[in-house]
Amino acid sequence: MNSIETKMETCSSIDDRSERKLDTDAQIKSLQPAPQKNSEQYLKDRDSCTKSFDNWTEYDQITFVEHLLSRMCHFQHGQINSFLKPMLQRDFITALPAKGLDHVAETILSYLDAKSLCAAEAVCKEWYRVISEGMLWKKLIERMVRTDTLWRGLAERRGWAVYLFKGKAGDTPTDHKFYRNLYPQIIEDIERIETNWRTGRHTLQRIHCRSETSKGVYCLQYDETRIISGLRDNTIKVWKSKMMWDRNTLECVQILTGHTGSVLCLQYDENIIISGSSDSTVRVWDVHTGEMLNTLIHHCEAVLHLRFCDGIMVTCSKDRSIAVWDMQSPTEINLRRVLVGHRAAVNVVDFDEKYIVSASGDRTIKVWSTSTCEFVRTLNGHKRGIACLQYRDCLVVSGSSDNTIRLWDIESGACLRTLEGHEELVRCIRFDNKRIVSGAYDGKIKVWDLAAALDPRSPAGSLCLRTLVEHSGRVFRLQFDEFQIVSSSHDDTILIWDFLNVPIETSSTSSTRSPTRTYTYVNN
């Protein structure tokens, strides 16, 4: 009996809700104005009013309409707004070419990203015509190449840079479909490169330096056609390729001699090479001829590191000092200031227009003013001596013989993150906008996620993306870009880890095979 009563009560409650809903709908309908017909008086006066309206000037007409609107209620304003809205909408991309302003329509659409440009192509035939005749896909690719180093590097390496900007007559395709099809190929290439970095898939080229006496490559720098390396046997070797980024044709074309100790550091630009040695000297060479142009004798022990830029050079030494030099020319380099404050060998320096940053075996990083050479602050945290660092913007990344890497805010001096994973002294470190790459005396190169390292919420286990093991000795120096790592070692080799030119594997084979390693040997 109770269950029957409950069912009856439930049914009645449903009926009540239905009745209330019907009442509500009725109330809403009652609030809506009923369709109305125009009055006879309106029909009688409309034509005469319209005739008078047509005879007025535009300004008079606007004034009259404003007067009418001011006398209307809110509901009437809403009705008029609904009427005006579609009248005010304009397809300006279609309208502009009709007035001879194709270039304006093209300029407006040229600011779209790829996804928006795809959508714009589908609006109508006229929009598609403006995009195709304006070569907007070509302009989008050119914009990316101008603003993104990854795109610029890919354009050079893949060869499609010749189809951009103002090339030679006949070199540049005139069909927009070429660029429309090229864009997704570029995106696919970029995604593949990122995947290769994360999975460790690469091809490997090994350069044997064939040192005659002491083995080991202490330092290096590279560009699109060459690698310049400083060796433990007191020489500087210049390796050149026949074509841009063609590492398979690298040959040792020059050996610079003059140092009487190991070449521990070097840097070059389009005109000169500057090297520092365990013979305590800094030497300047002509990058094209290899002629020695200058020898700087200041430090009383080994010159461990140097950097130069915009007429300033900074060197550091085992003698615990830092020297700041003014460079007027390769033959006119004058000592400006000696910075003293470290209590052990100064292993590395870096600088920009604001700060000089130095790291030492005394476990500290010191910050100095570039303009005044005055001491600013000390960064403390490493438990043992510091072997390497890089400084850019507000970030300093350092590696130490305590086997850790630390990230620092240079302005506050705060340690932002400590990276652990190397088993021996971290000897070299570099970073860009995406990654940190480190090399250590354990023979390993580790790739770290920079964004994750800067995020305090990221777990420590997610920071190291990949560990690369190919060197059979200590890793002394490395440099990298979006496509490759070039590293040198105590094993007397230079390794080129190429993440771009990797054979494409199908999904069925990639899960079962180890990362690709294709070896190419270059002998001296």
Side-chain angles (χ1 to χ4, degrees), residues 448-466:
W448 311 80
D449 187 326
L450 177 60
L454 291 172
D455 185 351
R457 299 168 297 179
S458 300
S462 67
L463 304 182
C464 184
L465 302 176
R466 187 60 51 177

Side-chain angles (χ1 to χ4, degrees), residues 213-403:
T213 54
S214 302
K215 304 290 186 181
V217 186
Y218 279 126
C219 53
L220 62 82
Q221 184 183 336
Y222 71 82
D223 59 30
E224 62 270 16
T225 60
R226 64 192 158 194
I227 299 173
I228 300 181
S229 56
L231 280 71
R232 191 181 179 190
D233 67 2
N234 309 348
T235 66
I236 297 171
K237 288 189 176 181
V238 181
W239 309 80
K240 294 197 75 172
S241 57
K242 295 177 181 178
M243 298 172 60
M244 284 180 59
W245 301 116
D246 183 9
R247 299 306 194 194
N248 293 319
T249 60
L250 277 170
E251 294 179 351
C252 182
V253 298
Q254 213 166 34
I255 301 176
L256 310 185
T257 59
H259 279 296
T260 57
S262 300
V263 181
L264 303 178
C265 54
L266 65 79
Q267 183 185 343
Y268 70 86
D269 62 12
E270 64 275 8
N271 298 313
I272 57 174
I273 305 168
I274 303 183
S275 58
S277 167
S278 58
D279 64 12
S280 307
T281 68
V282 175
R283 297 178 188 259
V284 184
W285 317 75
D286 186 298
V287 76
H288 304 291
T289 65
E291 177 189 0
M292 190 189 303
L293 304 175
N294 199 351
T295 300
L296 305 177
I297 301 174
H298 164 73
H299 291 290
C300 56
E301 292 192 62
V303 179
L304 301 178
H305 201 252
L306 64 85
R307 300 296 296 166
F308 71 87
C309 182
D310 298 330
I312 301 173
M313 178 171 67
V314 181
T315 61
C316 63
S317 169
K318 191 177 179 181
D319 65 14
R320 307 181 185 182
S321 73
I322 302 159
V324 182
W325 309 77
D326 289 317
M327 301 173 62
Q328 304 299 323
S329 69
T331 57
E332 188 178 354
I333 302 175
N334 301 308
L335 183 65
R336 182 203 297 181
R337 186 82 172 264
V338 177
L339 310 181
V340 179
H342 284 293
R343 301 187 308 277
V346 184
N347 294 317
V348 59
V349 289
D350 203 354
F351 75 96
D352 62 9
E353 66 280 355
K354 189 173 184 180
Y355 294 126
I356 297 169
V357 184
S358 58
S360 166
D362 65 9
R363 309 179 185 182
T364 68
I365 297 170
K366 291 190 180 294
V367 182
W368 319 75
S369 168
T370 303
S371 57
T372 66
C373 293
E374 296 299 322
F375 172 73
V376 178
R377 66 179 59 88
T378 298
L379 311 182
N380 290 297
H382 279 295
K383 295 179 176 61
R384 298 185 69 182
I386 302 164
C388 57
L389 68 73
Q390 182 185 351
Y391 158 54
R392 193 179 69 188
D393 299 328
C394 290
L395 184 63
V396 175
V397 180
S398 60
S400 167
S401 56
D402 64 12
N403 304 349

Side-chain angles (χ1 to χ4, degrees), residues 68-230:
L68 288 179
L69 289 172
S70 68
R71 300 175 64 86
M72 292 181 181
C73 68
H74 184 72
F75 168 75
Q76 291 172 310
H77 290 155
Q79 293 292 307
I80 291 171
N81 181 59
S82 300
F83 176 75
L84 287 175
K85 213 172 212 179
M87 295 177 68
L88 293 173
Q89 292 175 347
R90 288 288 184 273
D91 181 358
F92 57 89
I93 298 300
T94 300
L96 287 169
K99 295 183 179 292
L101 298 173
D102 297 66
H103 63 286
V104 177
E106 291 170 10
T107 301
I108 293 168
L109 293 179
S110 69
Y111 288 95
L112 298 179
D113 58 19
K115 185 177 180 180
S116 302
L117 202 56
C118 283
E121 282 183 323
V123 170
C124 64
K125 290 182 179 179
E126 184 60 21
W127 283 49
Y128 182 84
R129 185 195 67 78
V130 171
I131 291 169
S132 60
E133 292 184 5
M135 302 291 282
L136 296 192
W137 282 103
K138 177 174 181 281
K139 292 177 181 177
L140 174 61
I141 295 172
E142 289 174 342
R143 186 168 80 239
M144 296 302 297
V145 169
R146 277 194 301 268
T147 58
D148 192 309
T149 56
L150 176 58
W151 283 69
R152 191 179 312 126
L154 203 55
E156 293 172 354
R157 288 164 172 82
R158 289 302 196 215
W160 43 265
V162 298
Y163 303 124
L164 305 177
F165 307 106
K166 292 184 178 179
K168 297 178 181 178
D171 285 351
T172 306
T174 56
D175 186 1
H176 84 284
K177 291 182 179 178
F178 172 83
Y179 300 99
R180 178 67 178 81
N181 295 330
L182 176 61
Y183 189 91
Q185 294 174 25
I186 297 170
I187 296 300
E188 185 177 343
D189 234 358
I190 290 172
E191 291 175 349
R192 190 179 301 117
I193 292 166
E194 292 300 315
T195 300
N196 290 342
W197 274 98
R198 289 190 170 272
T199 59
R201 298 187 67 245
H202 62 274
T203 57
L204 189 74
Q205 184 174 344
R206 190 184 300 270
I207 301 174
H208 288 285
C209 293
R210 304 295 184 191
S211 302
E212 293 184 4
T213 54
S214 302
K215 304 290 186 181
V217 186
Y218 279 126
C219 53
L220 62 82
Q221 184 183 336
Y222 71 82
D223 59 30
E224 62 270 16
T225 60
R226 64 192 158 194
I227 299 173
I228 300 181
S229 56

